[in-house]
Amino acid sequence: MGRPRLADPRFGSLAAAGLLFFLPTCISGMVSPYAVRLLVADRASAGHLAGKLYFVSTFGSAAGTILTSFYLVLYLEVNQILMLMLTVSAVVGVITWLRPPAAPG
């Protein structure tokens, strides 16, 4: 008896990608609910803040996918795209971290 053979070799790639990205995807999925919890000052504004947060998240995902797939891959190598996105994320994080907290209300 040998190893079981798959009808389509793409199933092996799918399984490997699933194993590789399962943990990071689960951790990423925890960020938005936690961010909503940190942003909510009172229950009346919870839905509005959650909606704004998910809008920004969805818009950023769509914009990043379109920007990368239609433009960046034409002009940059993959490692350059990765470094560019890491730099942009770090700059946005530092700016947000250094910004004074908003006044409540």
Side-chain angles (χ1 to χ4, degrees):
M1 269 203 169
R3 290 185 0 217
R5 296 188 58 87
L6 296 174
D8 191 345
R10 292 179 291 181
F11 291 131
S13 298
L14 180 62
L19 289 173
L20 182 64
F21 291 110
F22 179 76
L23 185 60
T25 301
C26 288
I27 292 170
S28 295
M30 295 177 200
V31 172
S32 293
Y34 186 68
V36 169
R37 177 71 175 109
L38 291 176
L39 290 172
V40 170
D42 60 84
R43 288 183 174 200
S45 65
H48 181 72
L49 285 170
K52 282 174 43 176
L53 182 68
Y54 283 104
F55 166 76
V56 169
S57 174
T58 302
F59 182 79
S61 295
T65 300
I66 291 169
L67 179 70
T68 301
S69 61
F70 287 110
Y71 298 105
L72 293 180
V73 294
L74 298 175
Y75 304 109
L76 302 172
E77 295 177 8
V78 173
N79 59 345
Q80 292 172 320
I81 295 171
L82 180 62
M83 292 308 295
L84 175 67
M85 293 301 157
L86 287 171
T87 303
V88 168
S89 295
V91 167
V92 169
V94 167
I95 289 171
T96 304
W97 185 52
L98 294 176
R99 191 182 73 190

